[in-house]
């Protein structure tokens, strides 16, 4: 298998935060060398540990090689310089100023090698008032606004499961690295990327100011001071052998549920066809559904729901997930040694490329395991062996006759022509001159240093709802011409609007910088038009139920026969293989099926799932897919061939819960919802502060941090008290240790408490609500928000531009999202060569669908 990133060399200097970045790049075929001190990285001791092996470290460092380089010694710094000299991409997570203090500042390396891509990942970035603060997962959940939307009304806010933050940050770091590397291939310039975990969580994990799920149409925007009652959004019901979750979004789905209930007269009114109508009646509707479900098993309910077209899924705990046949059949879960003598069942990897799983091939290395290699970039034992080309570049299985475009500066020309469709449509796949292929290979065109990295690429976007919008938006933001294909008879669920609204905010956020083509793919003429577009496209994106594209005559093999250079990304809830491949799937059902929901609850209430407000994993799964598409495009630059990427959103959730799954595999019965308490540190949790419903997340990890808390609490003598003097003692007396901290915090405002604790080196984060993000001093200092305008919106929307801060890549523009079919005529003239008369005929036949009332500007 020629994985997409074979030949790309990555130096991994991360420790804890963003280690999963190098793992994902290695899964995709990159040659990743991890460098660390002789005593090993601190993350090698991260909990949980089994048999002395850190489970998080083992999972996030598979497929890497390891060498030692102690930056506190001159020999170690020299070894670092040698490793950097052979790398294409460097990813590091040192605190601001750490490298500069050791004469290893990134600027020094970038000056010597202008083609180098350097990605710095820190908790809060290289600049801003929080730059020197400590970021832990609870701190980031609190500050990002995620915590304020998690939990039950009139109860403490609830931390989401552990592990999601690190994996989200790693995914964004991988995307940033590949975007910069793709730009380097096309114009010869490298890049420095400043990525903060804080901004990833604000803008990329489950953004409050970003694309929302379909249920947003039923939510009120004037939430009370505390958590909204999200249990009604995607309700969970007890059944004969556990729990199931129901996800009713469309009118058709509700009508099927209405019939299953026996068509109760009380709910016959058409107002219940709408999401807001059903939410408002949850107190009367849900007991009826609960009574119907109580006597049936999960499997019986899921089967009946599927037969009726009702999205319904079983809710599984981590132990049950490990034994689900679907995940074993699809290859999402595998049995492997994660360390010598330590076999476990773990998630393999995020996705497949050309039918092959890009997952674990080598276990995480021991400290200095590959120190004996004079040149680790050439080791044939690595997952993707490479050799030097003598110019600081790398050669693997790509044809050696290919020039290294990133070093020569050769680059794409703007595509000057495209397929033309004749009026009769019988020659839909032909060009103007049948004897001349007018498609221009991307690597033969020129990209100026000021152009956006993906300029010249054309993307046909069949994606829908959150995942579809976010995947193609990433490509559109950085220059690709993204054409969203829309059919008025089957509108994208994202276009549902609240009463009186002309445009959903989610459309404005998720479809900016794109064009829209109204096209009926169910007609032969519409299919021919799409095929003509595909002949000259670079990427096709879809996230339908598996088999949908094939049923339309657009199976990947058929599209690749038209255009072998196409990169095709297919996504679904549970993937294209395994017994669940045909299941109806939405994010809430994915969370329920993969163990996320079972961990996202209060420990003492097995029925109250608190993940109703989140859209996870849609945004992160889309980021995973975007990085994979980019990796496939990188390979295409060298091989000329396309690829098929298949991603199951469920697999994203599995990978990001990998630590819990591995631990449960090794110690059955050990994994359950932990709530807000860190099982390895005390005091820890989400503590009430002065004010109404004000909270601060704090974790005390060391004796020094405990002493600082005691000083702040006015009880310095407790630092030496035998009950609290060690981490083990504090865990044994958790309630008392928590009380010392909580008694002080209840008298202090959360932002003041956060600052005082962080100034003492104690990880702390005030719980911010969404409006407070817009005025947060750190986010303001880093220019983290922009304002997105649209003629159909009453006011501009706050939005992110780029999550990462690039030194050479311009911020994305904020062109307004199109209304459905807005550029239909334009695209047909420009790309298909159709005349106005023929366009009018196809509109009259319903094949083409222009916007009824496009915006005035």
């Amino acid at each position: 298998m020629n994985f997409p990133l074979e030949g790309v060399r990555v130096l991994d200097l991360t420790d804890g935060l963003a280690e999963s970045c190098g793992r994902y790049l290695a899964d995709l075929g990159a040659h990743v060398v991890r460098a660390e001190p002789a005593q090993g990285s601190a993350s090698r001791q991260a909990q949980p540990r089994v048999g002395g092996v850190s489970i998080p470290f083992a999972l996030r460092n598979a497929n890497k090689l390891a060498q030692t380089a102690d930056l506190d010694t001159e020999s170690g710094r020299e070894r670092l310089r040698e490793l950097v000299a052979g790398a294409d991409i460097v990813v590091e997570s040192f605190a601001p100023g750490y490298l500069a203090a050791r004469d290893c500042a990134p600027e020094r390396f970038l000056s010597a090698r202008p083609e180098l891509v350097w990605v710095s990942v820190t908790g809060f970035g290289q600049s801003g008032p929080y730059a020197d603060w400590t970021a832990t997962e609870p701190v980031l959940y609190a500050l990002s606004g995620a915590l304020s939307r998690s939990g039950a009304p009139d109860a403490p806010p609830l931390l989401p499961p552990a592990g999601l933050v690190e994996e989200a940050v790693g995914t964004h770091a991988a995307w940033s690295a590949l975007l910069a590397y793709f730009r380097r291939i096309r114009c010869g310039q490298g890049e420095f990327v400043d990525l903060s975990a804080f901004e990833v969580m604000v803008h990329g994990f489950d953004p409050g100011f970003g694309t929302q799920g379909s249920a947003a149409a039923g939510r009120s925007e004037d939430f009370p001071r505390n958590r909204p009652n999200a249990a009604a959004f995607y309700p969970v019901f007890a059944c004969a052998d556990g729990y199931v979750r129901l996800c009713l979004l469309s009118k058709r789905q509700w009508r099927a549920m209405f019939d299953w209930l026996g068509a109760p007269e009380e709910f016959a009114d058409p107002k219940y066809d709408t999401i807001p109508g059903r939410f408002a009646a949850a107190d009367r509707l849900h007991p009826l559904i609960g009574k119907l479900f109580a006597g049936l098993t999960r499997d019986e309910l899921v089967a009946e729901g599927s037969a009726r077209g009702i999205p319904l899924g079983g809710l599984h705990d981590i132990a049950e997930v490990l034994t689900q046949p679907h995940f074993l059949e699809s290859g999402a879960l595998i049995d492997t040694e994660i360390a010598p003598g330590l076999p476990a069942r773990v998630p393999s990897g995020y996705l497949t490329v050309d039918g092959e799983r890009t997952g674990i091939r080598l276990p995480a290395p021991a400290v200095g395991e590959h120190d004996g290699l004079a040149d680790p970039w050439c080791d044939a034992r690595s997952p993707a062996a490479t050799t030097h080309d003598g110019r600081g570049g790398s050669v693997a299985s790509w044809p050696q006759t290919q020039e290294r475009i990133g070093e020569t500066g050769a680059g794409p020309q703007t595509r000057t022509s495209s397929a033309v469709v004749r009026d009769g449509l019988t020659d839909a796949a032909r060009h103007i001159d049948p004897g001349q292929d007018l498609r221009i290979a991307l690597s033969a065109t020129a990209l100026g240093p000021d152009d956006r990295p993906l300029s010249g690429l054309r993307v046909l976007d069949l994606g829908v709802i959150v995942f579809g919008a976010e995947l193609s938006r990433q490509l559109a933001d950085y220059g690709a011409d993204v054409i969203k294909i829309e059919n008025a008879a089957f509108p994208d669920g994202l276009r549902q609007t609240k009463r009186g609204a002309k445009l959903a905010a989610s459309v404005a956020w998720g479809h900016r910088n794109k064009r829209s083509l109204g096209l009926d793919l169910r007609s032969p003429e519409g299919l021919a038009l799409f095929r003509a577009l595909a002949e000259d496209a670079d990427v096709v994106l879809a996230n339908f139920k598996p088999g949908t594209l094939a049923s339309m005559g657009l199976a990947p093999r058929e599209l690749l026969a038209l255009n072998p250079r196409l990169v095709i990304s297919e996504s679904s809830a549970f993937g294209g293989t395994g017994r669940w491949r045909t299941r109806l799937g939405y994010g809430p059902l994915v969370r329920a099926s993969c163990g996320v929901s079972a961990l996202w609850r209060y420990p003492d209430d097995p029925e109250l799932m608190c993940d109703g407000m989140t859209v996870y994993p849609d945004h992160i799964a889309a980021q995973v897919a975007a990085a994979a598409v980019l990796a496939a495009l990188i390979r295409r630059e060298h091989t000329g061939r396309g690829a098929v990427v298949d991603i199951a959103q469920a697999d994203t959730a599995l990978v990001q819960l990998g630590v819990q799954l591995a631990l449960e595999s090794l110690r059955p019965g050990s994994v359950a919802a932990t709530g807000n308490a860190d099982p390895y540190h005390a005091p820890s949790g989400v503590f009430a502060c002065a004010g109404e419903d004000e909270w601060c997340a704090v974790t005390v990890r060391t004796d020094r941090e405990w002493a600082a808390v005691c000083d702040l609490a006015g009880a310095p003598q407790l630092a030496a008290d035998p009950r609290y003097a060690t981490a083990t003692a504090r865990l044994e007396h958790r309630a008392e240790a928590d009380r010392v901290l909580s008694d002080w915090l209840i008298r202090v405002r959360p932002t003041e408490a956060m600052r005082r604790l962080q100034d003492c080196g104690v990880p702390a984060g005030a719980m911010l609500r969404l409006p407070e993000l817009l005025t947060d001093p750190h986010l303001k200092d880093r220019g983290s928000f922009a304002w997105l305008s649209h003629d159909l919106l009453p006011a501009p929307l706050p939005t992110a531009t780029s999550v990462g801060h690039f030194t050479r890549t311009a911020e994305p523009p904020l062109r307004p999202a199109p209304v459905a079919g807005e550029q239909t005529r334009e695209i047909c003239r420009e790309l298909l060569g159709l005349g106005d008369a023929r366009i009018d005929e196809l509109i009259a036949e319903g094949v083409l669908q222009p916007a009824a009332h496009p915006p005035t500007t």
Side-chain angles (χ1 to χ4, degrees):
M1 171 67 182
N2 176 210
F3 288 111
L5 294 183
E6 287 187 12
V8 178
R9 298 179 297 185
V10 179
L11 178 61
D12 187 345
L13 302 175
T14 60
D15 188 352
L17 189 64
E19 283 182 331
S20 59
C21 169
R23 161 67 199 277
Y24 185 30
L25 296 177
D27 284 5
L28 289 168
H31 186 122
V32 180
V33 175
R34 177 183 177 82
E36 57 189 328
Q39 69 273 22
S41 302
S43 61
R44 288 184 180 271
Q45 303 305 314
Q47 294 282 9
R49 296 195 296 269
V50 175
V53 175
S54 166
I55 304 303
F57 183 89
L59 294 182
R60 294 167 188 165
N61 289 278
N63 295 337
K64 303 179 186 179
L65 277 65
Q67 290 216 329
T68 55
D70 186 348
L71 302 192
D72 288 326
T73 68
E74 181 51 41
S75 61
R77 291 190 287 271
E78 181 57 32
R79 185 60 187 141
L80 175 67
R81 296 179 191 114
E82 292 170 353
L83 289 170
V84 172
D88 298 305
I89 299 168
V90 177
V91 184
E92 49 91 359
S93 61
F94 295 110
Y98 180 93
L99 288 172
R102 289 157 178 78
D103 197 28
C104 293
E107 294 81 5
R108 172 174 178 167
F109 296 108
L110 290 163
S111 176
R113 293 189 59 211
E115 76 279 11
L116 183 65
V117 171
W118 191 291
V119 182
S120 170
V121 186
T122 55
F124 295 98
Q126 295 292 317
S127 62
Y130 305 167
D132 296 325
W133 285 9
T134 301
T136 60
E137 291 208 348
V139 166
L140 293 169
Y141 280 135
L143 280 170
S144 69
L147 182 60
S148 70
R149 295 175 285 160
S150 175
D154 303 317
L158 180 68
L159 290 171
L164 306 187
V165 170
E166 198 287 333
E167 295 286 347
V169 172
T171 300
H172 275 266
W175 158 260
S176 298
L178 294 181
L179 186 68
Y181 183 72
F182 190 72
R183 180 181 179 277
R184 161 190 157 166
I185 288 174
R186 302 186 68 193
C187 73
Q189 287 186 346
E191 179 70 272
F192 178 83
V193 186
D194 172 14
L195 184 70
S196 85
F198 183 23
E199 287 168 290
V200 168
M201 292 302 293
V202 169
H203 297 306
F205 175 72
D206 181 13
F209 300 107
T211 314
Q212 306 294 306
S214 298
R219 292 203 304 258
S220 167
E221 297 297 347
D222 54 348
F223 291 141
R225 182 72 178 159
N226 60 8
R227 269 62 53 213
N229 184 7
F233 295 165
Y234 309 108
V236 170
F237 298 96
C239 61
D241 59 350
Y243 299 92
V244 293
R245 169 169 273 168
L246 183 63
C247 187
L248 293 176
L249 297 176
S250 71
K251 175 181 176 180
R252 176 184 53 79
Q253 293 163 357
W254 157 245
R255 282 290 165 182
M257 187 71 241
F258 178 73
D259 289 340
W260 194 4
L261 287 168
E265 182 63 28
E266 180 184 5
F267 294 100
D269 192 302
K271 70 181 181 182
Y272 297 113
D273 291 343
T274 68
I275 293 173
R278 294 193 296 276
F279 281 179
D283 60 334
R284 293 179 290 112
L285 175 60
H286 289 178
L288 288 180
I289 298 175
K291 183 177 179 180
L292 174 67
F293 287 0
L296 300 172
T297 67
R298 282 183 302 194
D299 288 346
E300 289 170 340
L301 287 168
V302 171
E304 184 66 20
S306 178
R308 293 174 178 268
I310 298 171
L312 187 66
L315 192 144
H316 303 290
D317 61 26
I318 290 294
E320 291 173 322
V321 171
L322 284 170
T323 61
Q324 285 302 321
H326 170 79
F327 297 131
L328 300 173
E329 293 164 358
S330 68
L333 293 177
I334 60 170
D335 296 312
T336 187
E337 279 197 347
I338 60 173
L342 193 64
R345 180 164 291 179
V346 298
S348 175
Y350 278 120
L351 46 83
T352 66
V353 177
D354 297 333
E356 295 287 336
R357 176 73 62 169
T358 58
I360 295 177
R361 302 185 294 281
L362 291 176
V367 178
E369 182 175 336
H370 304 96
D371 277 348
L373 302 173
D375 187 351
W377 301 120
C378 300
D379 181 39
R381 293 170 291 176
S382 72
T386 60
T387 58
H388 275 296
D389 65 3
R391 295 176 293 165
S394 61
V395 178
S397 56
W398 300 329
Q400 294 193 18
T401 55
Q402 292 279 344
E403 288 190 350
R404 288 182 58 83
I405 300 168
E407 293 166 8
T408 64
Q413 317 164 32
T414 302
R415 188 186 267 110
T416 57
S417 185
S418 182
V420 172
V421 178
R422 302 188 188 281
D423 286 349
L425 292 174
T426 55
D427 296 322
R430 296 184 185 176
H431 298 101
I432 300 175
D433 179 355
Q436 179 184 10
D437 187 353
L438 296 177
R439 286 175 294 176
I440 306 298
L442 181 62
S443 55
T445 62
L447 178 70
D450 297 328
D451 291 336
R452 286 180 289 154
L454 307 184
S455 294
L457 290 173
R458 183 167 302 133
V459 178
L460 303 182
D461 178 18
L462 297 169
V464 294
I465 317 185
V466 177
F467 176 93
E470 286 297 293
L471 169 54
S472 58
R473 180 189 62 78
Q474 297 281 0
L475 306 179
D477 279 355
Y478 289 98
D481 177 17
V482 174
I483 299 173
K484 179 169 174 57
I485 311 296
E486 306 197 62
N487 185 346
F490 302 93
D492 186 344
L494 208 64
R495 289 197 179 272
Q496 292 186 75
T497 59
K498 292 184 173 69
R499 183 172 299 175
K502 296 180 179 179
L503 185 79
S506 286
V507 172
W509 279 313
H511 294 314
R512 70 190 192 196
N513 296 326
K514 304 176 189 177
R515 298 194 287 174
S516 176
L517 169 64
L519 183 64
D520 180 9
L521 290 177
R522 295 177 181 251
S523 68
E525 296 88 350
L527 197 61
L529 291 169
F530 183 86
R531 286 174 170 272
L533 288 171
E535 274 202 316
D536 200 39
D538 299 286
V539 179
V540 172
L541 307 174
N543 62 314
F544 304 129
K545 187 168 68 174
T548 301
L549 282 184
S551 70
M552 299 165 65
L554 298 174
R557 66 179 180 276
E558 297 176 84
L559 291 173
L560 288 170
L562 285 173
N563 179 358
R565 291 174 53 82
L566 267 180
V567 172
I568 302 165
S569 171
E570 279 200 278
S571 173
S572 59
F574 297 104
T577 59
R579 63 188 63 186
W580 288 358
R581 65 188 181 278
T582 59
R583 277 194 175 186
L584 293 170
Y586 296 97
L589 301 185
V590 169
R591 295 194 297 273
S593 299
C594 296
V596 176
S597 301
L599 294 176
W600 202 325
R601 64 175 177 84
Y602 298 100
D604 57 353
D605 191 340
E607 296 189 19
L608 180 59
M609 307 302 155
C610 295
D611 61 333
M613 274 292 295
T614 186
V615 189
Y616 179 87
D618 290 60
H619 293 88
I620 297 302
Q623 194 74 51
V624 167
V629 167
L630 200 47
L633 288 169
I634 288 169
R635 182 181 70 178
R636 192 185 74 165
E637 285 292 284
H638 298 271
T639 67
R641 64 186 176 92
V644 179
V645 175
D646 190 344
I647 177 170
Q649 291 188 47
D651 292 0
T652 293
L654 292 179
V655 169
Q656 301 194 347
L657 288 182
V659 172
Q660 290 92 329
L661 289 162
L663 182 61
E664 179 65 23
S665 170
L666 292 165
R667 292 178 175 169
S670 63
V671 175
T674 58
N676 290 331
D678 186 318
Y680 306 106
H681 300 293
S684 65
V686 178
F687 299 91
C689 296
E692 179 190 354
D693 193 41
E694 298 286 5
W695 304 84
C696 188
V698 184
T699 305
V700 175
R701 305 165 300 172
T702 66
D703 296 346
R704 182 192 60 77
E705 292 172 4
W706 170 247
V709 166
C710 293
D711 285 342
L712 288 171
Q717 72 281 2
L718 294 180
D721 188 310
R723 294 174 296 170
Y724 315 119
T726 66
T728 300
R730 289 191 293 275
L731 281 172
E732 291 175 355
H733 299 88
R734 176 187 290 277
E736 298 97 314
D738 281 352
R739 193 173 301 115
V740 172
L741 180 57
S742 63
D743 286 349
W744 173 67
L745 284 170
I746 198 64
R747 305 192 303 269
V748 186
R749 300 290 295 182
T751 52
E752 179 189 352
M754 170 180 67
R755 292 189 181 93
R756 293 177 66 180
L757 286 163
Q758 286 279 6
D759 287 346
C760 296
V762 180
M767 185 189 78
L768 298 185
R769 294 171 174 81
L770 298 185
E772 294 170 317
L773 296 176
L774 302 177
T775 58
D776 178 79
H778 188 78
L779 296 176
K780 288 182 69 175
D781 185 88
R782 289 178 64 82
S784 192
F785 282 100
W787 292 90
L788 179 64
S789 297
H790 199 289
D791 285 352
L792 299 180
L793 292 173
L797 296 172
T799 188
T801 49
S802 174
V803 174
H805 295 251
F806 296 78
T807 55
R808 290 176 170 170
T809 301
E811 287 289 293
L814 294 176
R815 294 196 308 274
V819 298
E822 183 174 343
Q823 287 82 25
T824 296
R825 289 182 178 274
E826 170 187 310
I827 291 167
C828 288
R829 293 191 197 102
E830 172 192 331
L831 303 183
L832 298 172
L834 295 178
D836 287 341
R838 184 56 180 150
I839 292 173
D840 288 340
E841 289 176 8
L842 293 171
I843 290 173
E845 296 167 7
V847 175
L848 294 176
Q849 302 163 0
H853 302 287
T856 56
T857 59

